[in-house]
Amino acid sequence: MSVRKFPEGFKFGVATAAYQIEGAWNEDDKTKNIWDTTCRTPGAILDNTTGDDVCKSYDFYKRDIQMVKFLGVDFYRFSINWTRLFPNGFINKTSESGLKYYNNLINELIESKIEPVITIYHWDLPQSLQDLGGWANPLIVDWFGDYARALYKMFGDRVKTWITINEPKQIGVFGYGMLYLAPRLNAHGIGEYLAAKNVVLAHARAWHIYNDEFRKIQNGICGIVLACEFVEGATDSPEDIEAGLDAMDFSVGLYSHPIFSSQGGFPESVKRRVAARSAEQGYPRSRLPEFTPEEIEYCKGTSDFYGFNHYSTSFVTRENFKTGRFPVPSFDDDLGAVEIVKDYDRGALDYSFIIPEGIRKCLNWVKKTCGNPKIMIMENGFNTFGGIKDLDRISYYQRYIDAVLDAIEIDGCNVVAYTAWSLMDNFEWNYGISIKFGLFEVDYEDENRKRTARWSVLWYKHLIETRALQHHYLPEFREICF
Ligand code: BGC
């Protein structure tokens, strides 16, 4: 059996997000966020479930920490539910019970020798701010900055790793440009680009606040997490190769280029394509808003690490592409490419193809386009319809982590951390609870939401204990419940 050691100092973690696990959606003075609203919109969630009382982590957080401790990870990544702490959306009023909850969670983690890693925003915008335009309103840069500053003040004495925003593409393209995610605006061709600019600026604001007001005293790091699904040309033709590169610019570069490149601003290919399509469509200016020269400078270099989420790879072509295939205008029409489905195994979600070399290629794309930054893998994982004996999940982790080690050892990518998604089954957004990403299974029929360790728990625990990837290792199974 071959064994591959991880580099010295490499860290392992496990992640969740507030709306996906907390439940207690209207407890105490908490107000509605955009997911509370979306879950009450007929047809929005495929299995008609809600996050209302999903994993009940608000009540049972101590048990979550025991599970995290059992895994033996170095850090636990979780997010703050904005309206649980600030019921108005604005920071003029703090919820005492919300504050107590997050203080308890953080303190208990630290006592258990697990580093708390906080995501400031994981998709649960206060409905009150959405009603004012949400991420399409430039004033959100101030609102988000205020919120981030309040969190640094409250928790920054103990929290040393901050993630400002999780996955801007999912927020903008799927939330503002389509109907998949909250707030389901479907303002395609417009909304996703307004959100892109404001999300990047809001992130930069939160980073500057940390850098200027807190870093010296609190000594932590602060960065953004991007969805880094890999997209490649479907064939080796120059047109397809270009389509793949453009797709990466549209999906990832739109957010990484303003922050990590030396040039700053949106990528040239996206600017060019959206401007050309906008002109053809009779718009007086490009639908992609520009950054001012001051904004370009303000955003450059504003992430202490590159937060990298990755699940799968897809393939695109421009052969036979005709405008009108997607809504006009839209992100997909602007990109002008279509996906080709290849014959790879997949998980429960029909787009989650198992292509381990994709994570390696994507890490290399980041290395090349972003100046070889320090990369923290903040999510990677596999989805099924359930089952305790999850050999498919183990195989996924095994093969993907192997590819990450190739990226580190052979390609020189500067990857310093790996995070498994997710600690337990949870509310998988528009898919509801039927899709399972958990290391731990959650019994939704049980009032206490009993958690049972899947085989992958023991597998990941062994990886962390040995700090090594042992090929073909399978743990001896035993039943463990929390
Ligand atoms: C999100 C998670 C989600 C996961 C699996 C990521 O896009 O950050 O919240 O559950 O993917 O779909």
Side-chain angles (χ1 to χ4, degrees), residues 40-227:
R40 282 161 179 73
T41 308
I45 309 298
L46 282 174
D47 62 3
N48 293 317
T49 55
T50 70
D52 287 4
D53 61 355
V54 61
C55 300
K56 296 195 175 174
S57 287
Y58 185 71
D59 306 298
F60 298 129
Y61 72 91
K62 287 197 180 173
R63 211 172 41 173
D64 292 356
I65 297 175
Q66 284 169 11
M67 289 145 61
V68 174
K69 213 169 145 183
F70 180 80
L71 278 167
V73 288
D74 301 296
F75 62 90
Y76 176 43
R77 176 188 169 202
F78 62 94
S79 77
I80 304 285
N81 191 327
W82 192 328
T83 56
R84 191 177 299 293
L85 202 50
F86 299 108
N88 292 345
F90 297 98
I91 59 152
N92 63 319
K93 183 180 168 221
T94 304
S95 158
E96 284 312 315
S97 51
L99 181 59
K100 193 164 145 215
Y101 172 67
Y102 290 115
N103 268 328
N104 285 343
L105 179 58
I106 292 166
N107 292 343
E108 185 99 3
L109 282 166
I110 291 174
E111 271 166 37
S112 305
K113 309 224 171 350
I114 300 154
E115 188 197 338
V117 170
I118 288 190
T119 312
I120 297 175
Y121 183 73
H122 202 126
W123 303 1
D124 43 12
L125 196 74
Q127 186 59 47
S128 59
L129 301 189
Q130 189 61 53
D131 294 343
L132 298 170
W135 293 104
N137 184 341
L139 288 176
I140 199 160
V141 179
D142 291 335
W143 306 335
F144 184 72
D146 296 341
Y147 168 50
R149 179 187 286 106
L151 297 191
Y152 304 146
K153 273 193 197 153
M154 286 168 169
F155 310 125
D157 55 337
R158 288 152 290 155
V159 173
K160 303 299 166 191
T161 305
W162 293 96
I163 294 164
T164 55
I165 294 174
N166 182 69
E167 299 192 344
K169 177 185 173 184
Q170 277 55 19
I171 297 169
V173 176
F174 297 144
Y176 286 68
M178 294 182 182
L179 284 167
Y180 290 126
L181 300 178
R184 304 180 83 242
L185 285 195
N186 209 18
H188 41 80
I190 311 278
E192 59 273 64
Y193 299 129
L194 298 182
K197 180 174 173 185
N198 294 328
V199 166
V200 167
L201 282 168
H203 153 78
R205 173 69 60 83
W207 183 88
H208 278 290
I209 290 172
Y210 192 77
N211 199 45
D212 298 345
E213 303 172 27
F214 296 89
R215 190 189 295 279
K216 263 212 191 101
I217 330 156
Q218 298 187 347
N219 259 313
I221 52 175
C222 176
I224 194 164
V225 167
L226 305 180

Side-chain angles (χ1 to χ4, degrees), residues 200-205 207-208 211-212 215 222 224 255-266 291-305 369-370:
V200 167
L201 282 168
H203 153 78
R205 173 69 60 83
W207 183 88
H208 278 290
N211 199 45
D212 298 345
R215 190 189 295 279
C222 176
I224 194 164
Y255 319 98
S256 64
H257 199 269
I259 297 169
F260 293 93
S261 75
S262 50
Q263 201 189 349
F266 289 131
F291 286 109
T292 64
E294 292 74 31
E295 287 170 340
I296 289 179
E297 288 311 310
Y298 186 74
C299 295
K300 270 204 262 181
T302 57
S303 198
D304 301 328
F305 55 87
T369 60
C370 297

Side-chain angles (χ1 to χ4, degrees), residues 20 122-123 166-167 170 309 311 379 421 428-429 437:
Q20 295 182 274
H122 202 126
W123 303 1
N166 182 69
E167 299 192 344
Q170 277 55 19
N309 289 355
Y311 292 89
E379 280 179 36
W421 181 274
E428 180 51 28
W429 309 113
F437 271 94

